[in-house]
Amino acid sequence: MTDELFKQMAQSIIDGDADAATQLAEQAIQGGLDPLEAITKGFVVGVNFVGQQFAEGEAFLPELVMAGEAMKAAVKTLEPEMMKRGAEREVLGKVVLATVEGDIHEIGKSLVGTMLTAAGFEVFDLGVDASPHKIIAKAIEVNADIIAMSALLTTTMVKQREVIDDLEKEGLRSRFKVMVGGAPITRDWVSRISADGYSEDAIGAVNIAKQLVAAG
Ligand code: B1M
């Protein structure tokens, strides 16, 4: 039954059908399914399929856009349930979160933001296409513990390094922990840019953020 639901979820994204994705997300909540499981085993399977088709020239930008919209609709519907389930209320630390400059992929970044908020972090989400200057200025303004950056393109991941380089130049590197993520990010990249933390997914991002604030 659940497997069938996961299949339908994936299919709703492949079809770019935001209404169906919303309905299936509602069904998952009513059925008591873990919302993150609905995302990772259902909806993400669909978005990955469309991404793969796009890479192989079998799907085109409109399909990618529609899959993205359907994915956003599903995550938005599941978000309140994720917040409820994660409700640890003590404030663990402040996180400035953004997708880096030149990159408008927002779904993974927003998911990380939701999970961090649900776990008790205060998250300042700058959205997408955020310049290094904007990210650093916000981190100073709110006295953040962590700067968290998402990048989905091989052409924009260099902006993660630019933020770290700018922090060094401005004598601010030791003031903030920096964590990075996004589909093209690898451990090798993380050590090359001397980031403090990295995770492949949103749950891992919460664990890393907790470790970073605990380490001070
Ligand atoms: Co784009 N896109 N896209 N796209 N898109 C990818 C990334 C791509 C891999 C597709 C492909 O070719 N197979 C490819 C990148 C190739 C590369 O660089 N190597 C690509 C391309 C080429 C492009 C355009 C250039 C296409 C064009 O215009 N010709 C263009 C670029 C626009 C820009 O940013 N300047 C573009 C545009 C778009 C849309 C706008 C249409 C849409 C985004 C809609 C939106 O976000 N509102 C879109 C989509 C939907 C995708 C795919 C299909 C799905 C991305 C997604 O939302 N995944 C993607 C293919 C793919 O990844 N399979 C693709 C679901 C999401 C939950 O996962 O974002 O990976 P993800 O986040 C995960 C983890 O990575 C991690 O946790 C999340 C949850 O588990 N994580 C972190 C993410 N951030 C983290 C931060 C952390 C820690 C963990 O700490 C700070």
Side-chain angles (χ1 to χ4, degrees):
M1 176 60 205
T2 313
D3 282 350
E4 184 52 36
L5 187 60
F6 289 149
K7 269 192 207 153
Q8 288 176 17
M9 286 169 171
Q11 193 59 47
S12 70
I13 304 299
I14 295 166
D15 296 340
D17 188 341
D19 290 342
T22 303
Q23 274 170 22
L24 289 162
E26 282 164 356
Q27 205 176 314
I29 295 169
Q30 279 154 17
L33 201 66
D34 179 344
L36 199 62
E37 210 182 333
I39 291 173
T40 53
K41 293 190 178 163
F43 297 113
V44 161
V45 175
V47 89
N48 283 343
F49 179 80
V50 177
Q52 189 59 36
Q53 295 279 95
F54 179 77
E56 289 166 8
E58 309 235 333
F60 301 94
L61 199 52
E63 279 105 318
L64 205 59
V65 173
M66 285 174 72
E69 289 303 313
M71 187 73 203
K72 261 171 63 183
V75 173
K76 193 167 165 236
T77 309
L78 293 167
E79 201 171 44
E81 187 62 21
M82 281 191 269
M83 299 291 271
K84 235 194 267 168
R85 290 191 177 218
E88 289 174 24
R89 278 293 143 239
E90 153 210 11
V91 175
L92 297 178
K94 292 182 190 172
V95 180
V96 166
L97 172 70
T99 299
V100 296
E101 189 166 44
D103 196 327
I104 61 166
H105 293 86
E106 66 175 330
I107 298 163
K109 180 269 303 162
S110 298
L111 203 53
V112 168
T114 301
M115 297 304 291
L116 286 172
T117 306
F121 285 91
E122 189 177 358
V123 176
F124 300 85
D125 188 341
L126 299 179
V128 298
D129 190 20
S131 69
H133 174 74
K134 188 173 172 186
I135 293 170
I136 294 172
K138 191 70 184 177
I140 295 169
E141 181 199 321
V142 303
N143 195 20
D145 299 290
I146 298 174
I147 292 176
M149 291 179 279
S150 182
L152 264 283
L153 300 170
T154 44
T155 49
T156 58
M157 54 196 262
V158 289
K159 290 286 171 183
Q160 295 177 335
R161 173 161 53 196
E162 200 174 313
V163 169
I164 293 176
D165 288 350
D166 288 355
L167 286 171
E168 291 278 6
K169 278 187 221 141
E170 293 169 36
L172 293 166
R173 182 65 186 91
S174 60
R175 189 166 157 189
F176 306 109
K177 300 286 182 192
V178 178
M179 59 184 279
V180 294
I185 307 307
T186 59
R187 281 200 188 282
D188 178 49
W189 171 250
V190 175
S191 67
R192 273 168 54 203
I193 66 172
S194 305
D196 301 303
Y198 149 75
S199 149
E200 276 183 12
D201 56 34
I203 288 276
V206 171
N207 292 332
I208 297 294
K210 284 181 177 172
Q211 284 168 24
L212 291 178
V213 287

